[in-house]
Amino acid sequence: MATAPRFPRPERSAPPPVERRRPALTREAIVDAALAIVDAEGVDAVSMRRVADALGTGPASLYAHVENKDELLELVLDKVIGEVPLFDPASTLPWTELIKQYMRDGRAVFTTHKDIARAAVGRIPMGPNGLRVNDSWVGALRKAGLPPRLVGLAPDLFALYIVAVSVEEGAVATLGLSEERIGAYFDEVRAFFAGLSPQEYPNLSAMASELTDVGGEGRFEFGLDVLVRGLASLAADESAAARAPAKGHHA
Amino acid sequence: MATAPRFPRPERSAPPPVERRRPALTREAIVDAALAIVDAEGVDAVSMRRVADALGTGPASLYAHVENKDELLELVLDKVIGEVPLFDPASTLPWTELIKQYMRDGRAVFTTHKDIARAAVGRIPMGPNGLRVNDSWVGALRKAGLPPRLVGLAPDLFALYIVAVSVEEGAVATLGLSEERIGAYFDEVRAFFAGLSPQEYPNLSAMASELTDVGGEGRFEFGLDVLVRGLASLAADESAAARAPAKGHHA
DNA sequence: ACCTGAACACCGTTCAAGT
DNA sequence: ACCTGAACACCGTTCAAGT
């Protein structure tokens, strides 16, 4: 059997026991760790314990930097919103196209972070980035010359749409299905509608292909089209009413 | 001190120990119990344990009737959707008004059940009631003579809007604030926007009152207006294109 | 087939104690 | 001020066992 070593080993300052990399416990590091979990596994995988673990601490330590889990998700959301490009004042696009482009950008940002849009449902984004994007949209609509009432109403409606669409797509992304599994699923849905009893569901069974023909991209563009056309129609009416005020009398 | 009673008490058949009322454990009873919790405290208050407790059993017993919590919420949602009134074939309203009325009805049903709309986010309602309502809407749009492509696309978009709006209103309802507390909150939001730095947020600070003037009801109606006008505009274009097909050539 | 108790592997948050 | 371990009061779901 080996005896004790003759020479005392040099007293190396005791190597840190396991100790995961610890990039200092800050608000930012916590938000980054949470976002990394979102990107990898989706919003539901985020827990105070998982986040703490990734940072090499216990969950209680997070509460020195973050009010609670809800605030943490709000911060993660605002960080993501920070990736949304702002209105380009030099753009010469008509406002209808400009708005569509913004909405595509917003959706693209959300959907690159799995189902992060779920954290935006029913929440008004009041973080610095959320406000910045909101300000940018309001600015674009003002510059387009829309009536002030509509400038005040439209951004919320657009945001609602982007978030709702992103939640649906994010859910699919979080499942992590292959392209063909998704295609197979849509085929199943179509078959399901087509196979419904024509007595009970005369319209669904008759319109099965129209109800399922258009996939995610087309459905999103359809919504964009409806929203922008609707807003343009309202704007035309309200501008006309402003030019010829009060019940058909001329000014 | 009182001594033991001289006469042995008659052996009444042991009264059932506590035993809450037990309306037989069925799928329906489980769904009803869950919905009661939603109505009282909101969706987040629903847990398998709470539902089981209300029925006088343990959580494991529910799994004989329901796949899991997700399916339970789906069933609760479908039960609620069952309250949405169906298309009246005798109605003589123009389709634009008819659609608006449906959407108001849908929102009204959701918001009478706290934040149940949260259970509908990112879910395609495939229960019998969900299908029935969907069929009814598709029927209304067909009868209105919309192009088939739009008949297939519009119902989803409308449902998206109703759900998204109901989630926001449901969240407020679940908090259970008084009318005046809600008013005070909106005043705060307006003050917040108005108080933003005009350098950082030139548009939000300038448009503070337009951004907050219109409350829940008006915002909902604005969205209805935009959606219906947008759809009408698309329908007009596509019908015209169908009448004069392929690149301006006459048939 | 239906129901049960007990357990497993988790949660968010608080709190007294340490530095 | 920041961090910690331990605890509290919960979760959804499974499983072997009972009827």
Side-chain angles (χ1 to χ4, degrees), chain B residues 92-146:
Chain B
T92 56
L93 285 175
W95 71 266
T96 51
E97 276 314 307
L98 199 61
I99 291 291
K100 283 188 184 181
Q101 198 48 57
Y102 280 156
M103 296 178 75
R104 289 188 196 106
D105 290 344
R107 164 176 172 256
V109 167
F110 277 137
T111 52
T112 56
H113 295 283
K114 289 265 159 68
D115 57 352
I116 186 64
R118 283 170 55 91
V121 171
R123 209 195 297 270
I124 305 169
M126 290 290 213
N129 291 323
L131 290 175
R132 200 136 43 218
V133 169
N134 198 354
D135 188 83
S136 171
W137 285 37
V138 171
L141 294 177
R142 290 177 85 189
K143 196 184 162 202
L146 290 203

Coordinates of all heavy atoms in Angstrom, one line a residue, chain B residues 92-146:
Chain B
T92 N -81.2 39.7 -41.0 CA -81.2 40.5 -42.3 C -80.1 41.6 -42.2 O -80.0 42.4 -43.1 CB -82.5 41.2 -42.6 OG1 -82.9 41.9 -41.4 CG2 -83.6 40.1 -42.8
L93 N -79.3 41.5 -41.1 CA -78.2 42.5 -41.0 C -77.2 42.3 -42.1 O -77.0 41.2 -42.6 CB -77.5 42.2 -39.7 CG -78.1 42.7 -38.4 CD1 -77.3 42.3 -37.2 CD2 -78.3 44.2 -38.4
P94 N -76.6 43.4 -42.6 CA -75.5 43.2 -43.5 C -74.3 42.5 -42.8 O -74.2 42.5 -41.6 CB -75.0 44.7 -43.8 CG -75.6 45.5 -42.7 CD -76.8 44.8 -42.2
W95 N -73.6 41.7 -43.6 CA -72.6 40.8 -43.0 C -71.6 41.6 -42.2 O -71.1 41.0 -41.2 CB -71.9 40.0 -44.1 CG -70.9 40.7 -45.0 CD1 -71.2 41.2 -46.2 CD2 -69.5 41.0 -44.7 NE1 -70.1 41.8 -46.7 CE2 -69.0 41.7 -45.9 CE3 -68.7 40.7 -43.7 CZ2 -67.7 42.1 -46.0 CZ3 -67.3 41.1 -43.8 CH2 -66.9 41.8 -44.9
T96 N -71.3 42.8 -42.5 CA -70.3 43.5 -41.7 C -70.8 43.7 -40.3 O -70.1 43.5 -39.3 CB -70.0 44.9 -42.3 OG1 -71.3 45.6 -42.6 CG2 -69.3 44.8 -43.6
E97 N -72.1 44.0 -40.2 CA -72.7 44.2 -38.8 C -72.9 42.9 -38.1 O -72.7 42.8 -36.9 CB -74.0 44.9 -38.9 CG -73.9 46.4 -39.0 CD -73.0 47.0 -38.0 OE1 -73.1 46.7 -36.8 OE2 -72.1 47.7 -38.3
L98 N -73.2 41.9 -38.9 CA -73.4 40.5 -38.3 C -72.1 40.0 -37.7 O -72.1 39.5 -36.6 CB -73.8 39.6 -39.5 CG -74.5 38.3 -39.0 CD1 -75.8 38.6 -38.3 CD2 -74.8 37.4 -40.3
I99 N -71.0 40.2 -38.4 CA -69.7 39.8 -37.9 C -69.3 40.5 -36.7 O -68.9 39.9 -35.7 CB -68.6 40.0 -39.0 CG1 -68.8 39.1 -40.2 CG2 -67.2 39.9 -38.4 CD1 -68.6 37.6 -39.9
K100 N -69.6 41.8 -36.7 CA -69.3 42.6 -35.5 C -70.1 42.1 -34.3 O -69.5 42.0 -33.2 CB -69.6 44.1 -35.7 CG -68.6 44.8 -36.6 CD -68.9 46.3 -36.6 CE -68.0 47.1 -37.5 NZ -68.3 48.5 -37.5
Q101 N -71.3 41.8 -34.5 CA -72.2 41.3 -33.4 C -71.7 40.0 -32.9 O -71.6 39.8 -31.6 CB -73.6 41.2 -33.9 CG -74.6 41.1 -32.7 CD -74.4 42.2 -31.7 OE1 -74.4 43.4 -32.0 NE2 -74.1 41.8 -30.5
Y102 N -71.2 39.1 -33.8 CA -70.7 37.8 -33.3 C -69.4 38.1 -32.4 O -69.3 37.4 -31.4 CB -70.2 37.0 -34.5 CG -71.3 36.3 -35.1 CD1 -71.2 35.9 -36.5 CD2 -72.4 35.9 -34.4 CE1 -72.2 35.2 -37.1 CE2 -73.5 35.3 -35.0 CZ -73.4 34.9 -36.4 OH -74.4 34.2 -37.0
M103 N -68.6 39.0 -32.9 CA -67.4 39.2 -32.1 C -67.7 39.8 -30.7 O -67.1 39.4 -29.7 CB -66.4 40.0 -32.9 CG -66.0 39.3 -34.2 SD -64.9 40.3 -35.3 CE -63.4 40.2 -34.3
R104 N -68.7 40.7 -30.7 CA -69.1 41.2 -29.4 C -69.6 40.1 -28.5 O -69.3 40.0 -27.3 CB -70.2 42.3 -29.6 CG -69.7 43.5 -30.2 CD -70.8 44.6 -30.2 NE -70.4 45.7 -31.1 CZ -71.0 45.9 -32.3 NH1 -72.0 45.1 -32.7 NH2 -70.7 46.9 -33.1
D105 N -70.4 39.2 -29.1 CA -70.9 38.1 -28.3 C -69.8 37.2 -27.8 O -69.8 36.8 -26.6 CB -71.8 37.2 -29.2 CG -73.1 37.9 -29.6 OD1 -73.5 38.9 -28.9 OD2 -73.8 37.5 -30.5
G106 N -68.9 36.9 -28.6 CA -67.8 36.0 -28.2 C -67.0 36.6 -27.1 O -66.7 36.0 -26.1
R107 N -66.7 37.9 -27.2 CA -65.9 38.6 -26.1 C -66.8 38.6 -24.9 O -66.2 38.4 -23.8 CB -65.7 40.0 -26.6 CG -65.3 41.0 -25.5 CD -64.9 42.3 -26.1 NE -64.7 43.4 -25.2 CZ -65.5 44.3 -24.9 NH1 -66.7 44.4 -25.5 NH2 -65.2 45.3 -24.0
A108 N -68.1 38.8 -25.0 CA -68.9 38.9 -23.8 C -68.9 37.6 -23.0 O -68.8 37.5 -21.8 CB -70.3 39.3 -24.2
V109 N -68.9 36.5 -23.8 CA -68.9 35.2 -23.1 C -67.6 34.9 -22.4 O -67.6 34.5 -21.2 CB -69.2 34.1 -24.2 CG1 -68.8 32.7 -23.6 CG2 -70.6 34.1 -24.7
F110 N -66.5 35.2 -23.1 CA -65.2 35.0 -22.4 C -65.1 35.8 -21.2 O -64.7 35.4 -20.1 CB -64.1 35.4 -23.4 CG -63.7 34.3 -24.4 CD1 -63.5 34.6 -25.7 CD2 -63.6 33.0 -24.0 CE1 -63.1 33.6 -26.6 CE2 -63.2 32.0 -24.9 CZ -63.0 32.3 -26.2
T111 N -65.4 37.1 -21.3 CA -65.2 38.0 -20.1 C -66.1 37.8 -19.0 O -65.8 38.3 -17.9 CB -65.2 39.5 -20.6 OG1 -66.4 39.7 -21.2 CG2 -64.0 39.8 -21.5
T112 N -67.1 37.0 -19.1 CA -67.9 36.6 -18.0 C -67.3 35.4 -17.2 O -67.8 35.0 -16.2 CB -69.4 36.2 -18.3 OG1 -69.4 35.2 -19.3 CG2 -70.1 37.5 -18.9
H113 N -66.2 34.9 -17.8 CA -65.5 33.8 -17.1 C -64.1 34.2 -16.8 O -63.2 33.5 -17.2 CB -65.6 32.5 -17.9 CG -67.0 32.0 -18.1 ND1 -67.6 31.3 -17.1 CD2 -67.9 32.0 -19.1 CE1 -68.8 30.9 -17.5 NE2 -69.0 31.4 -18.7
K114 N -64.0 35.3 -16.1 CA -62.6 35.8 -15.7 C -61.6 35.8 -16.9 O -62.0 36.3 -18.0 CB -62.1 35.1 -14.5 CG -62.9 35.4 -13.2 CD -62.2 36.5 -12.4 CE -63.2 37.2 -11.5 NZ -63.7 36.4 -10.4
D115 N -60.5 35.2 -16.7 CA -59.5 35.1 -17.7 C -59.4 33.8 -18.5 O -58.3 33.4 -18.9 CB -58.1 35.5 -17.1 CG -57.7 34.6 -16.0 OD1 -58.5 33.8 -15.6 OD2 -56.5 34.7 -15.5
I116 N -60.6 33.2 -18.6 CA -60.6 31.9 -19.3 C -60.0 32.0 -20.7 O -59.4 31.0 -21.3 CB -62.0 31.3 -19.5 CG1 -62.1 29.9 -20.0 CG2 -62.9 32.2 -20.3 CD1 -61.4 28.9 -19.2
A117 N -60.0 33.2 -21.3 CA -59.4 33.4 -22.6 C -57.9 32.9 -22.7 O -57.4 32.5 -23.7 CB -59.6 34.8 -23.1
R118 N -57.3 33.0 -21.5 CA -55.9 32.6 -21.5 C -55.7 31.1 -21.9 O -54.7 30.7 -22.4 CB -55.3 32.8 -20.0 CG -55.0 34.2 -19.7 CD -54.7 34.3 -18.2 NE -53.6 33.4 -17.8 CZ -52.3 33.7 -17.7 NH1 -51.9 34.9 -18.1 NH2 -51.5 32.8 -17.3
A119 N -56.8 30.3 -21.6 CA -56.7 28.9 -22.0 C -56.9 28.7 -23.5 O -56.7 27.7 -24.0 CB -57.8 28.1 -21.2
A120 N -57.3 29.8 -24.2 CA -57.6 29.7 -25.6 C -56.4 30.2 -26.4 O -56.3 29.9 -27.6 CB -58.8 30.5 -26.0
V121 N -55.4 30.9 -25.8 CA -54.3 31.4 -26.5 C -53.4 30.3 -27.1 O -53.0 29.4 -26.3 CB -53.4 32.3 -25.5 CG1 -52.1 32.7 -26.2 CG2 -54.2 33.5 -25.1
G122 N -53.2 30.4 -28.3 CA -52.4 29.4 -29.0 C -53.0 28.0 -29.1 O -52.3 27.0 -29.3
R123 N -54.3 28.0 -28.9 CA -55.0 26.7 -29.0 C -56.1 26.8 -30.1 O -56.8 27.8 -30.1 CB -55.7 26.3 -27.7 CG -55.8 24.9 -27.4 CD -56.7 24.5 -26.3 NE -56.4 25.0 -25.0 CZ -55.6 24.4 -24.1 NH1 -55.2 23.2 -24.4 NH2 -55.3 24.8 -22.9
I124 N -56.2 25.8 -31.0 CA -57.3 25.8 -31.9 C -58.4 25.0 -31.3 O -58.3 23.8 -30.9 CB -56.8 25.1 -33.2 CG1 -55.6 25.8 -33.8 CG2 -58.0 25.1 -34.3 CD1 -55.0 25.0 -34.9
P125 N -59.6 25.7 -31.1 CA -60.7 25.0 -30.4 C -61.3 23.9 -31.3 O -62.0 24.1 -32.3 CB -61.7 26.1 -30.2 CG -61.1 27.4 -30.7 CD -60.0 27.0 -31.6
M126 N -61.0 22.7 -30.9 CA -61.4 21.5 -31.7 C -62.5 20.7 -30.9 O -62.9 19.6 -31.4 CB -60.2 20.6 -31.9 CG -59.2 21.1 -32.9 SD -59.9 21.2 -34.6 CE -58.3 20.9 -35.5
G127 N -63.0 21.2 -29.8 CA -64.1 20.6 -29.1 C -65.4 20.7 -29.9 O -65.4 21.6 -30.8
P128 N -66.4 20.0 -29.6 CA -67.7 20.1 -30.3 C -68.2 21.5 -30.4 O -68.7 21.9 -31.4 CB -68.6 19.1 -29.5 CG -67.9 18.8 -28.3 CD -66.5 19.0 -28.5
N129 N -68.2 22.2 -29.3 CA -68.7 23.6 -29.3 C -67.8 24.5 -30.1 O -68.3 25.4 -30.8 CB -68.9 24.1 -27.9 CG -69.9 23.4 -27.1 OD1 -71.0 23.0 -27.7 ND2 -69.7 23.1 -25.8
G130 N -66.5 24.4 -30.0 CA -65.6 25.2 -30.8 C -65.9 25.0 -32.3 O -65.9 25.9 -33.1
L131 N -66.0 23.7 -32.7 CA -66.3 23.4 -34.1 C -67.6 24.0 -34.5 O -67.8 24.5 -35.6 CB -66.3 21.9 -34.3 CG -64.9 21.2 -34.2 CD1 -65.1 19.7 -34.3 CD2 -64.0 21.7 -35.2
R132 N -68.6 23.9 -33.6 CA -70.0 24.4 -34.0 C -69.9 25.9 -34.2 O -70.5 26.4 -35.2 CB -70.9 24.1 -32.8 CG -72.4 24.1 -33.1 CD -73.1 22.9 -32.5 NE -72.8 22.6 -31.1 CZ -72.7 21.4 -30.6 NH1 -72.9 20.4 -31.4 NH2 -72.3 21.2 -29.4
V133 N -69.2 26.6 -33.3 CA -69.1 28.1 -33.5 C -68.4 28.4 -34.8 O -68.8 29.3 -35.6 CB -68.5 28.7 -32.3 CG1 -68.1 30.2 -32.6 CG2 -69.4 28.6 -31.1
N134 N -67.3 27.7 -35.0 CA -66.5 27.9 -36.2 C -67.3 27.7 -37.4 O -67.4 28.5 -38.4 CB -65.3 27.0 -36.2 CG -64.2 27.4 -37.1 OD1 -64.3 28.4 -37.9 ND2 -63.0 26.7 -37.1
D135 N -68.1 26.6 -37.4 CA -69.0 26.2 -38.6 C -70.0 27.4 -38.8 O -70.2 27.8 -39.9 CB -69.7 24.9 -38.3 CG -70.5 24.4 -39.5 OD1 -69.8 23.8 -40.4 OD2 -71.7 24.7 -39.6
S136 N -70.5 27.9 -37.7 CA -71.5 28.9 -37.8 C -70.9 30.2 -38.5 O -71.5 30.8 -39.3 CB -72.0 29.2 -36.4 OG -72.8 30.4 -36.4
W137 N -69.7 30.6 -38.1 CA -69.1 31.8 -38.7 C -68.8 31.6 -40.1 O -69.0 32.4 -41.0 CB -67.7 32.0 -37.9 CG -67.9 32.6 -36.6 CD1 -68.9 32.4 -35.7 CD2 -67.1 33.7 -36.0 NE1 -68.8 33.1 -34.6 CE2 -67.7 33.9 -34.7 CE3 -66.0 34.4 -36.4 CZ2 -67.1 34.9 -33.9 CZ3 -65.5 35.3 -35.6 CH2 -66.0 35.6 -34.3
V138 N -68.2 30.4 -40.4 CA -67.9 30.1 -41.8 C -69.2 30.2 -42.6 O -69.2 30.8 -43.7 CB -67.2 28.7 -42.0 CG1 -67.1 28.3 -43.4 CG2 -65.9 28.7 -41.3
G139 N -70.3 29.7 -42.1 CA -71.6 29.7 -42.8 C -72.0 31.2 -43.0 O -72.5 31.5 -44.1
A140 N -71.8 32.0 -42.0 CA -72.2 33.4 -42.2 C -71.5 34.1 -43.3 O -72.0 34.8 -44.1 CB -72.1 34.1 -40.9
L141 N -70.2 33.8 -43.4 CA -69.3 34.5 -44.4 C -69.6 33.9 -45.8 O -69.6 34.6 -46.8 CB -67.8 34.3 -44.0 CG -67.3 35.0 -42.8 CD1 -65.9 34.6 -42.5 CD2 -67.5 36.5 -42.9
R142 N -70.0 32.6 -45.8 CA -70.4 32.1 -47.1 C -71.6 32.7 -47.6 O -71.8 33.1 -48.8 CB -70.6 30.5 -47.0 CG -69.3 29.7 -46.8 CD -69.7 28.3 -46.6 NE -69.8 27.6 -47.9 CZ -70.2 26.3 -48.0 NH1 -70.6 25.7 -46.9 NH2 -70.3 25.8 -49.2
K143 N -72.6 32.8 -46.7 CA -73.9 33.4 -47.1 C -73.7 34.8 -47.5 O -74.5 35.3 -48.4 CB -74.8 33.3 -45.9 CG -76.3 33.5 -46.2 CD -77.2 33.5 -45.0 CE -78.5 34.1 -45.3 NZ -79.2 34.6 -44.1
A144 N -72.7 35.5 -46.9 CA -72.5 36.9 -47.3 C -71.9 37.0 -48.7 O -71.8 38.1 -49.2 CB -71.5 37.5 -46.3
G145 N -71.5 35.9 -49.2 CA -70.9 35.9 -50.6 C -69.4 36.2 -50.7 O -69.0 36.6 -51.7
L146 N -68.7 36.1 -49.6 CA -67.3 36.4 -49.6 C -66.6 35.4 -50.5 O -67.0 34.2 -50.5 CB -66.7 36.4 -48.2 CG -67.1 37.6 -47.3 CD1 -66.0 37.7 -46.2 CD2 -67.2 38.9 -48.0

